[in-house]
PDB file of all heavy atoms in Angstrom:
ATOM      1  N   ALA Y  15      -3.008 -20.212   0.431  1.00  0.00           N
ATOM      2  CA  ALA Y  15      -1.814 -20.049  -0.412  1.00  0.00           C
ATOM      3  C   ALA Y  15      -2.176 -19.490  -1.786  1.00  0.00           C
ATOM      4  O   ALA Y  15      -2.034 -20.161  -2.808  1.00  0.00           O
ATOM      5  CB  ALA Y  15      -1.071 -21.377  -0.547  1.00  0.00           C
ATOM      6  N   PRO Y  16      -2.647 -18.259  -1.855  1.00  0.00           N
ATOM      7  CA  PRO Y  16      -3.092 -17.687  -3.135  1.00  0.00           C
ATOM      8  C   PRO Y  16      -1.963 -17.632  -4.154  1.00  0.00           C
ATOM      9  O   PRO Y  16      -0.818 -17.349  -3.814  1.00  0.00           O
ATOM     10  CB  PRO Y  16      -3.560 -16.282  -2.755  1.00  0.00           C
ATOM     11  CG  PRO Y  16      -2.855 -15.970  -1.477  1.00  0.00           C
ATOM     12  CD  PRO Y  16      -2.722 -17.274  -0.768  1.00  0.00           C
ATOM     13  N   THR Y  17      -2.287 -17.893  -5.402  1.00  0.00           N
ATOM     14  CA  THR Y  17      -1.267 -17.905  -6.448  1.00  0.00           C
ATOM     15  C   THR Y  17      -0.967 -16.513  -6.973  1.00  0.00           C
ATOM     16  O   THR Y  17       0.014 -16.317  -7.690  1.00  0.00           O
ATOM     17  CB  THR Y  17      -1.707 -18.799  -7.619  1.00  0.00           C
ATOM     18  OG1 THR Y  17      -2.981 -18.327  -8.102  1.00  0.00           O
ATOM     19  CG2 THR Y  17      -1.837 -20.239  -7.160  1.00  0.00           C
ATOM     20  N   ALA Y  18      -1.818 -15.536  -6.645  1.00  0.00           N
ATOM     21  CA  ALA Y  18      -1.578 -14.144  -7.035  1.00  0.00           C
ATOM     22  C   ALA Y  18      -2.149 -13.246  -5.950  1.00  0.00           C
ATOM     23  O   ALA Y  18      -3.155 -13.577  -5.322  1.00  0.00           O
ATOM     24  CB  ALA Y  18      -2.227 -13.826  -8.377  1.00  0.00           C
ATOM     25  N   LEU Y  19      -1.490 -12.107  -5.730  1.00  0.00           N
ATOM     26  CA  LEU Y  19      -1.959 -11.130  -4.744  1.00  0.00           C
ATOM     27  C   LEU Y  19      -1.902  -9.728  -5.345  1.00  0.00           C
ATOM     28  O   LEU Y  19      -0.843  -9.294  -5.802  1.00  0.00           O
ATOM     29  CB  LEU Y  19      -1.091 -11.156  -3.481  1.00  0.00           C
ATOM     30  CG  LEU Y  19      -1.319 -12.266  -2.461  1.00  0.00           C
ATOM     31  CD1 LEU Y  19      -0.347 -12.098  -1.294  1.00  0.00           C
ATOM     32  CD2 LEU Y  19      -2.742 -12.258  -1.938  1.00  0.00           C
ATOM     33  N   ARG Y  20      -3.041  -9.040  -5.322  1.00  0.00           N
ATOM     34  CA  ARG Y  20      -3.111  -7.659  -5.815  1.00  0.00           C
ATOM     35  C   ARG Y  20      -3.003  -6.697  -4.638  1.00  0.00           C
ATOM     36  O   ARG Y  20      -3.585  -6.936  -3.581  1.00  0.00           O
ATOM     37  CB  ARG Y  20      -4.430  -7.452  -6.556  1.00  0.00           C
ATOM     38  CG  ARG Y  20      -4.630  -6.035  -7.094  1.00  0.00           C
ATOM     39  CD  ARG Y  20      -5.905  -5.996  -7.931  1.00  0.00           C
ATOM     40  NE  ARG Y  20      -6.167  -4.651  -8.433  1.00  0.00           N
ATOM     41  CZ  ARG Y  20      -7.237  -3.928  -8.107  1.00  0.00           C
ATOM     42  NH1 ARG Y  20      -8.136  -4.421  -7.256  1.00  0.00           N
ATOM     43  NH2 ARG Y  20      -7.409  -2.723  -8.611  1.00  0.00           N
ATOM     44  N   TYR Y  21      -2.287  -5.606  -4.852  1.00  0.00           N
ATOM     45  CA  TYR Y  21      -2.019  -4.641  -3.782  1.00  0.00           C
ATOM     46  C   TYR Y  21      -2.011  -3.243  -4.379  1.00  0.00           C
ATOM     47  O   TYR Y  21      -1.575  -3.071  -5.517  1.00  0.00           O
ATOM     48  CB  TYR Y  21      -0.647  -4.962  -3.164  1.00  0.00           C
ATOM     49  CG  TYR Y  21      -0.215  -4.065  -2.039  1.00  0.00           C
ATOM     50  CD1 TYR Y  21      -0.624  -4.322  -0.732  1.00  0.00           C
ATOM     51  CD2 TYR Y  21       0.606  -2.963  -2.277  1.00  0.00           C
ATOM     52  CE1 TYR Y  21      -0.228  -3.502   0.306  1.00  0.00           C
ATOM     53  CE2 TYR Y  21       1.002  -2.140  -1.238  1.00  0.00           C
ATOM     54  CZ  TYR Y  21       0.582  -2.411   0.050  1.00  0.00           C
ATOM     55  OH  TYR Y  21       0.980  -1.592   1.082  1.00  0.00           O
ATOM     56  N   PRO Y  22      -2.501  -2.217  -3.684  1.00  0.00           N
ATOM     57  CA  PRO Y  22      -2.981  -2.215  -2.286  1.00  0.00           C
ATOM     58  C   PRO Y  22      -4.498  -2.341  -2.171  1.00  0.00           C
ATOM     59  O   PRO Y  22      -5.090  -1.886  -1.190  1.00  0.00           O
ATOM     60  CB  PRO Y  22      -2.529  -0.839  -1.807  1.00  0.00           C
ATOM     61  CG  PRO Y  22      -2.665   0.030  -3.010  1.00  0.00           C
ATOM     62  CD  PRO Y  22      -2.306  -0.848  -4.189  1.00  0.00           C
ATOM     63  N   GLY Y  23      -5.139  -2.930  -3.154  1.00  0.00           N
ATOM     64  CA  GLY Y  23      -6.585  -3.066  -3.138  1.00  0.00           C
ATOM     65  C   GLY Y  23      -7.193  -2.300  -4.294  1.00  0.00           C
ATOM     66  O   GLY Y  23      -6.501  -1.889  -5.230  1.00  0.00           O
ATOM     67  N   GLY Y  24      -8.503  -2.067  -4.211  1.00  0.00           N
ATOM     68  CA  GLY Y  24      -9.189  -1.377  -5.284  1.00  0.00           C
ATOM     69  C   GLY Y  24      -9.182   0.123  -5.099  1.00  0.00           C
ATOM     70  O   GLY Y  24      -8.193   0.798  -5.378  1.00  0.00           O
ATOM     71  N   THR Y  25     -10.298   0.660  -4.583  1.00  0.00           N
ATOM     72  CA  THR Y  25     -10.411   2.108  -4.431  1.00  0.00           C
ATOM     73  C   THR Y  25      -9.303   2.673  -3.551  1.00  0.00           C
ATOM     74  O   THR Y  25      -8.865   3.811  -3.744  1.00  0.00           O
ATOM     75  CB  THR Y  25     -11.795   2.470  -3.865  1.00  0.00           C
ATOM     76  OG1 THR Y  25     -12.796   1.914  -4.714  1.00  0.00           O
ATOM     77  CG2 THR Y  25     -11.988   3.964  -3.804  1.00  0.00           C
ATOM     78  N   ASN Y  26      -8.838   1.918  -2.570  1.00  0.00           N
ATOM     79  CA  ASN Y  26      -7.743   2.404  -1.729  1.00  0.00           C
ATOM     80  C   ASN Y  26      -6.520   2.799  -2.549  1.00  0.00           C
ATOM     81  O   ASN Y  26      -5.748   3.673  -2.147  1.00  0.00           O
ATOM     82  CB  ASN Y  26      -7.336   1.347  -0.698  1.00  0.00           C
ATOM     83  CG  ASN Y  26      -8.132   1.476   0.594  1.00  0.00           C
ATOM     84  OD1 ASN Y  26      -8.777   2.485   0.838  1.00  0.00           O
ATOM     85  ND2 ASN Y  26      -8.075   0.448   1.418  1.00  0.00           N
ATOM     86  N   SER Y  27      -6.329   2.162  -3.686  1.00  0.00           N
ATOM     87  CA  SER Y  27      -5.148   2.479  -4.493  1.00  0.00           C
ATOM     88  C   SER Y  27      -5.214   3.901  -5.045  1.00  0.00           C
ATOM     89  O   SER Y  27      -4.178   4.487  -5.388  1.00  0.00           O
ATOM     90  CB  SER Y  27      -4.989   1.479  -5.638  1.00  0.00           C
ATOM     91  OG  SER Y  27      -6.052   1.591  -6.557  1.00  0.00           O
ATOM     92  N   ASP Y  28      -6.421   4.485  -5.126  1.00  0.00           N
ATOM     93  CA  ASP Y  28      -6.555   5.854  -5.618  1.00  0.00           C
ATOM     94  C   ASP Y  28      -6.001   6.884  -4.642  1.00  0.00           C
ATOM     95  O   ASP Y  28      -5.838   8.058  -5.011  1.00  0.00           O
ATOM     96  CB  ASP Y  28      -8.025   6.182  -5.887  1.00  0.00           C
ATOM     97  CG  ASP Y  28      -8.570   5.481  -7.123  1.00  0.00           C
ATOM     98  OD1 ASP Y  28      -7.758   5.006  -7.932  1.00  0.00           O
ATOM     99  OD2 ASP Y  28      -9.805   5.415  -7.271  1.00  0.00           O
ATOM    100  N   PHE Y  29      -5.729   6.475  -3.414  1.00  0.00           N
ATOM    101  CA  PHE Y  29      -5.225   7.394  -2.392  1.00  0.00           C
ATOM    102  C   PHE Y  29      -3.970   6.856  -1.716  1.00  0.00           C
ATOM    103  O   PHE Y  29      -3.497   7.430  -0.732  1.00  0.00           O
ATOM    104  CB  PHE Y  29      -6.307   7.650  -1.334  1.00  0.00           C
ATOM    105  CG  PHE Y  29      -7.639   7.979  -1.946  1.00  0.00           C
ATOM    106  CD1 PHE Y  29      -8.626   7.023  -2.058  1.00  0.00           C
ATOM    107  CD2 PHE Y  29      -7.893   9.242  -2.453  1.00  0.00           C
ATOM    108  CE1 PHE Y  29      -9.843   7.319  -2.647  1.00  0.00           C
ATOM    109  CE2 PHE Y  29      -9.108   9.554  -3.040  1.00  0.00           C
ATOM    110  CZ  PHE Y  29     -10.085   8.587  -3.142  1.00  0.00           C
ATOM    111  N   HIS Y  30      -3.445   5.759  -2.247  1.00  0.00           N
ATOM    112  CA  HIS Y  30      -2.314   5.091  -1.611  1.00  0.00           C
ATOM    113  C   HIS Y  30      -1.004   5.758  -2.031  1.00  0.00           C
ATOM    114  O   HIS Y  30      -0.659   5.788  -3.214  1.00  0.00           O
ATOM    115  CB  HIS Y  30      -2.292   3.612  -2.004  1.00  0.00           C
ATOM    116  CG  HIS Y  30      -1.226   2.820  -1.315  1.00  0.00           C
ATOM    117  ND1 HIS Y  30      -1.436   2.198  -0.108  1.00  0.00           N
ATOM    118  CD2 HIS Y  30       0.057   2.562  -1.649  1.00  0.00           C
ATOM    119  CE1 HIS Y  30      -0.331   1.577   0.261  1.00  0.00           C
ATOM    120  NE2 HIS Y  30       0.593   1.783  -0.655  1.00  0.00           N
ATOM    121  N   HIS Y  31      -0.297   6.292  -1.060  1.00  0.00           N
ATOM    122  CA  HIS Y  31       1.031   6.847  -1.297  1.00  0.00           C
ATOM    123  C   HIS Y  31       2.034   5.883  -0.656  1.00  0.00           C
ATOM    124  O   HIS Y  31       2.138   5.809   0.566  1.00  0.00           O
ATOM    125  CB  HIS Y  31       1.134   8.255  -0.724  1.00  0.00           C
ATOM    126  CG  HIS Y  31       0.183   9.215  -1.379  1.00  0.00           C
ATOM    127  ND1 HIS Y  31       0.404   9.739  -2.640  1.00  0.00           N
ATOM    128  CD2 HIS Y  31      -1.030   9.695  -0.975  1.00  0.00           C
ATOM    129  CE1 HIS Y  31      -0.605  10.525  -2.980  1.00  0.00           C
ATOM    130  NE2 HIS Y  31      -1.491  10.509  -1.996  1.00  0.00           N
ATOM    131  N   TRP Y  32       2.726   5.142  -1.512  1.00  0.00           N
ATOM    132  CA  TRP Y  32       3.478   3.973  -1.057  1.00  0.00           C
ATOM    133  C   TRP Y  32       4.551   4.322  -0.034  1.00  0.00           C
ATOM    134  O   TRP Y  32       4.857   3.500   0.847  1.00  0.00           O
ATOM    135  CB  TRP Y  32       4.075   3.235  -2.251  1.00  0.00           C
ATOM    136  CG  TRP Y  32       5.164   3.966  -2.977  1.00  0.00           C
ATOM    137  CD1 TRP Y  32       5.025   4.812  -4.043  1.00  0.00           C
ATOM    138  CD2 TRP Y  32       6.565   3.918  -2.694  1.00  0.00           C
ATOM    139  NE1 TRP Y  32       6.246   5.290  -4.442  1.00  0.00           N
ATOM    140  CE2 TRP Y  32       7.212   4.758  -3.637  1.00  0.00           C
ATOM    141  CE3 TRP Y  32       7.340   3.233  -1.755  1.00  0.00           C
ATOM    142  CZ2 TRP Y  32       8.588   4.946  -3.650  1.00  0.00           C
ATOM    143  CZ3 TRP Y  32       8.712   3.421  -1.763  1.00  0.00           C
ATOM    144  CH2 TRP Y  32       9.329   4.268  -2.692  1.00  0.00           C
ATOM    145  N   ARG Y  33       5.122   5.515  -0.126  1.00  0.00           N
ATOM    146  CA  ARG Y  33       6.170   5.890   0.835  1.00  0.00           C
ATOM    147  C   ARG Y  33       5.636   5.958   2.265  1.00  0.00           C
ATOM    148  O   ARG Y  33       6.406   5.829   3.223  1.00  0.00           O
ATOM    149  CB  ARG Y  33       6.784   7.231   0.440  1.00  0.00           C
ATOM    150  CG  ARG Y  33       7.611   7.189  -0.836  1.00  0.00           C
ATOM    151  CD  ARG Y  33       8.244   8.541  -1.100  1.00  0.00           C
ATOM    152  NE  ARG Y  33       9.026   8.569  -2.332  1.00  0.00           N
ATOM    153  CZ  ARG Y  33       8.518   8.844  -3.527  1.00  0.00           C
ATOM    154  NH1 ARG Y  33       7.215   9.090  -3.640  1.00  0.00           N
ATOM    155  NH2 ARG Y  33       9.287   8.864  -4.597  1.00  0.00           N
ATOM    156  N   ASN Y  34       4.316   6.189   2.407  1.00  0.00           N
ATOM    157  CA  ASN Y  34       3.715   6.212   3.742  1.00  0.00           C
ATOM    158  C   ASN Y  34       3.667   4.824   4.373  1.00  0.00           C
ATOM    159  O   ASN Y  34       3.368   4.704   5.567  1.00  0.00           O
ATOM    160  CB  ASN Y  34       2.288   6.773   3.678  1.00  0.00           C
ATOM    161  CG  ASN Y  34       2.253   8.241   3.322  1.00  0.00           C
ATOM    162  OD1 ASN Y  34       3.281   8.906   3.289  1.00  0.00           O
ATOM    163  ND2 ASN Y  34       1.066   8.768   3.049  1.00  0.00           N
ATOM    164  N   GLY Y  35       3.936   3.789   3.598  1.00  0.00           N
ATOM    165  CA  GLY Y  35       3.816   2.425   4.106  1.00  0.00           C
ATOM    166  C   GLY Y  35       5.127   1.658   4.127  1.00  0.00           C
ATOM    167  O   GLY Y  35       5.116   0.426   4.075  1.00  0.00           O
ATOM    168  N   VAL Y  36       6.253   2.347   4.180  1.00  0.00           N
ATOM    169  CA  VAL Y  36       7.546   1.669   4.287  1.00  0.00           C
ATOM    170  C   VAL Y  36       8.309   2.223   5.479  1.00  0.00           C
ATOM    171  O   VAL Y  36       8.025   3.330   5.952  1.00  0.00           O
ATOM    172  CB  VAL Y  36       8.391   1.820   2.993  1.00  0.00           C
ATOM    173  CG1 VAL Y  36       7.680   1.168   1.809  1.00  0.00           C
ATOM    174  CG2 VAL Y  36       8.681   3.273   2.701  1.00  0.00           C
ATOM    175  N   GLY Y  37       9.274   1.434   5.948  1.00  0.00           N
ATOM    176  CA  GLY Y  37      10.057   1.842   7.108  1.00  0.00           C
ATOM    177  C   GLY Y  37       9.403   1.405   8.409  1.00  0.00           C
ATOM    178  O   GLY Y  37       8.350   0.746   8.415  1.00  0.00           O
ATOM    179  N   PRO Y  38      10.011   1.761   9.554  1.00  0.00           N
ATOM    180  CA  PRO Y  38       9.447   1.398  10.859  1.00  0.00           C
ATOM    181  C   PRO Y  38       8.024   1.909  11.012  1.00  0.00           C
ATOM    182  O   PRO Y  38       7.707   3.041  10.614  1.00  0.00           O
ATOM    183  CB  PRO Y  38      10.394   2.090  11.849  1.00  0.00           C
ATOM    184  CG  PRO Y  38      11.672   2.273  11.089  1.00  0.00           C
ATOM    185  CD  PRO Y  38      11.276   2.502   9.668  1.00  0.00           C
ATOM    186  N   TYR Y  39       7.171   1.104  11.606  1.00  0.00           N
ATOM    187  CA  TYR Y  39       5.758   1.451  11.704  1.00  0.00           C
ATOM    188  C   TYR Y  39       5.559   2.782  12.424  1.00  0.00           C
ATOM    189  O   TYR Y  39       4.724   3.607  12.011  1.00  0.00           O
ATOM    190  CB  TYR Y  39       4.988   0.343  12.439  1.00  0.00           C
ATOM    191  CG  TYR Y  39       3.505   0.614  12.533  1.00  0.00           C
ATOM    192  CD1 TYR Y  39       2.646   0.273  11.496  1.00  0.00           C
ATOM    193  CD2 TYR Y  39       2.963   1.219  13.672  1.00  0.00           C
ATOM    194  CE1 TYR Y  39       1.289   0.534  11.570  1.00  0.00           C
ATOM    195  CE2 TYR Y  39       1.601   1.482  13.752  1.00  0.00           C
ATOM    196  CZ  TYR Y  39       0.775   1.141  12.697  1.00  0.00           C
ATOM    197  OH  TYR Y  39      -0.571   1.407  12.784  1.00  0.00           O
ATOM    198  N   ALA Y  40       6.324   3.012  13.471  1.00  0.00           N
ATOM    199  CA  ALA Y  40       6.152   4.234  14.267  1.00  0.00           C
ATOM    200  C   ALA Y  40       6.452   5.497  13.463  1.00  0.00           C
ATOM    201  O   ALA Y  40       6.012   6.590  13.842  1.00  0.00           O
ATOM    202  CB  ALA Y  40       7.039   4.178  15.505  1.00  0.00           C
ATOM    203  N   GLN Y  41       7.182   5.356  12.366  1.00  0.00           N
ATOM    204  CA  GLN Y  41       7.555   6.524  11.566  1.00  0.00           C
ATOM    205  C   GLN Y  41       6.679   6.696  10.323  1.00  0.00           C
ATOM    206  O   GLN Y  41       6.883   7.635   9.547  1.00  0.00           O
ATOM    207  CB  GLN Y  41       9.022   6.410  11.153  1.00  0.00           C
ATOM    208  CG  GLN Y  41       9.996   6.407  12.324  1.00  0.00           C
ATOM    209  CD  GLN Y  41      11.436   6.202  11.886  1.00  0.00           C
ATOM    210  OE1 GLN Y  41      11.771   6.327  10.713  1.00  0.00           O
ATOM    211  NE2 GLN Y  41      12.292   5.860  12.833  1.00  0.00           N
TER     212      GLN Y  41
END
């Protein structure tokens, strides 16, 4: 039960395009 959560991680955040991770998984 962590009291804080960081997202989307460290180095991964340098390439994370959030729109690619929303909506139905298949899309």
